[in-house]
Amino acid sequence: PATVYEGTVIYLASYAQPNVGHALHDALYGFVSVTASLREVAAAFGAQPPYVVVVEDDFFRNSLPYYSVLAMVHHMSVFRDVPMVFRHRDRGMSCFRSLVFTGADRELHGSGVKGGGVVDVVARFRQSVFTHLNIDVAKRDAVRVYMYGRVEVYRRSVRNFGDFVSKVVERVPNVVVIPSMNLHPLEQAQLFSDIDILLTVQGAHMQNSIFMPPCASIIEVSPCLSRRTSFLKRYGCLLPLHHHVQQEVCFPSLNIGGDKYGQNLTLCDHHIAQLIDYTLREVQRVKDCRARLH
């Protein structure tokens, strides 16, 4: 027998993307796009309440755990009054009056999470993650600068990261080095909630910038020969007060062992000097931004 879903169904498909940063982006884009477009969908296609979120019964087994957690958090926060129903694949046909699919936007420029009213959803989503997952957001007076050189990753790592760190520490206070991003997703969210300025090489880990404080800055080092020149130019800052600075490095040594786009970087002295200047400027910007907020 067929199961008929009245009203409008928001369908969450299983998602197995192994990259945490991409999973976060696609989850956020999918959920936010659906949240932001429900009114337009209703106007265009006559979609009517009641709304219901439907997931497959194997959603948790076949999805990346991080994505599953985000789905639950989003449901509890944004769709707090909308029931969630588990659909069994092998128990007959399902019929929908109106069906809305969440989507992935990783290959497009502009994430779709920027625009009228959507930023509010993103900010609410961020706060809901902190609330539902019991992440403590510490408040400090000092501007916290974190550096990450992808030294544990096979591509786009900074070869002279140790020298880079030592020169930054000479001029910039409160510097913390992130040795690895091989962390539990909740640890990543907690880590990024503590970062005022992130000085980093381009990578999917930057999607966690959604968890950074409201006045945060992201200073991105990216290889100029890469087809994916800048993560944040593709996706944009997710929160309105975030600031993005990019430093392109045009002297990479290509890592062609299986990925012709895998590029390890050696920062020249002028690159390092420029990045230090950027960092000092952003420290002051964060302080000014905090002062305006308080």
Side-chain angles (χ1 to χ4, degrees):
T3 301
V4 179
Y5 294 92
E6 301 292 345
T8 301
V9 169
I10 301 140
Y11 180 78
L12 301 182
S14 300
Y15 189 91
Q17 162 63 246
N19 185 305
V20 169
H22 290 315
L24 174 59
H25 172 78
D26 288 348
L28 182 64
Y29 172 76
F31 302 150
V32 169
S33 63
V34 167
T35 303
S37 63
L38 275 178
R39 188 175 302 168
E40 287 78 6
V41 170
F45 301 103
Q48 298 293 326
Y51 298 113
V52 60
V53 175
V54 171
V55 299
E56 301 291 354
D57 60 331
D58 56 1
F59 177 81
F60 295 101
R61 184 171 66 252
N62 291 341
S63 295
L64 184 76
Y66 198 10
Y67 185 83
S68 302
V69 168
L70 291 173
M72 293 299 99
V73 169
H74 192 267
H75 179 256
M76 288 186 289
S77 57
V78 177
F79 295 129
R80 60 173 61 89
D81 298 322
V82 176
M84 176 171 282
V85 176
F86 288 89
R87 172 183 176 271
H88 297 277
R89 295 179 187 273
D90 301 323
R91 296 189 182 176
M93 182 181 296
S94 296
C95 298
F96 308 96
R97 300 289 185 188
S98 300
L99 182 63
V100 179
F101 283 94
T102 59
D105 189 42
R106 203 176 334 111
E107 299 303 322
L108 300 180
H109 289 266
S111 63
V113 298
K114 298 175 292 183
V118 182
V119 167
D120 293 335
V121 178
V122 174
R124 191 161 72 247
F125 179 82
R126 172 184 180 271
Q127 185 56 51
S128 296
V129 170
F130 291 155
T131 300
H132 291 293
L133 302 183
N134 296 316
I135 294 176
D136 180 34
V137 182
K139 293 183 178 179
R140 299 179 186 173
D141 294 330
V143 175
R144 297 149 294 186
V145 180
Y146 281 69
M147 298 180 64
Y148 175 55
R150 290 174 61 98
V151 293
E152 85 286 16
V153 182
Y154 80 97
R155 61 176 182 168
R156 288 201 311 277
S157 62
V158 178
R159 286 186 161 186
N160 57 335
F161 186 62
D163 181 49
F164 180 29
V165 169
S166 64
K167 290 180 178 178
V168 171
V169 169
E170 287 177 2
R171 295 187 57 194
V172 180
N174 304 309
V175 174
V176 178
V177 173
I178 304 172
S180 172
M181 283 291 177
N182 292 323
L183 304 170
H184 187 279
L186 300 188
E187 292 177 320
Q188 291 192 36
Q190 179 75 69
L191 170 65
F192 275 76
S193 72
D194 198 52
I195 300 175
D196 292 308
I197 297 174
L198 178 63
L199 180 50
T200 181
V201 179
Q202 169 210 349
H205 61 280
M206 295 173 66
Q207 194 62 53
N208 284 292
S209 62
I210 186 177
F211 300 122
M212 293 172 68
C215 292
S217 292
I218 304 100
I219 303 174
E220 177 191 53
V221 181
S222 59
C224 69
L225 299 182
S226 173
R227 63 175 179 175
R228 298 170 295 184
T229 304
S230 167
F231 192 83
L232 284 172
K233 277 188 176 178
R234 293 167 68 205
Y235 297 139
C237 294
L238 295 175
L239 295 173
L241 295 181
H242 280 184
H243 192 240
H244 171 218
V245 177
Q246 184 195 22
Q247 171 71 60
E248 288 191 349
V249 177
C250 291
F251 301 96
S253 56
L254 294 180
N255 169 10
I256 57 175
D259 182 355
K260 63 181 179 180
Y261 297 107
Q263 299 168 345
N264 295 329
L265 305 174
T266 300
L267 299 179
C268 300
D269 288 342
H270 70 278
H271 293 137
I272 295 176
Q274 183 68 69
L275 288 165
I276 290 173
D277 288 343
Y278 284 153
T279 304
L280 292 171
R281 185 183 69 189
E282 292 306 303
V283 167
Q284 186 59 52
R285 193 201 65 82
V286 170
K287 291 179 179 178
D288 294 343
C289 178
R290 286 178 176 177
R292 289 194 299 269
L293 287 182
H294 300 293

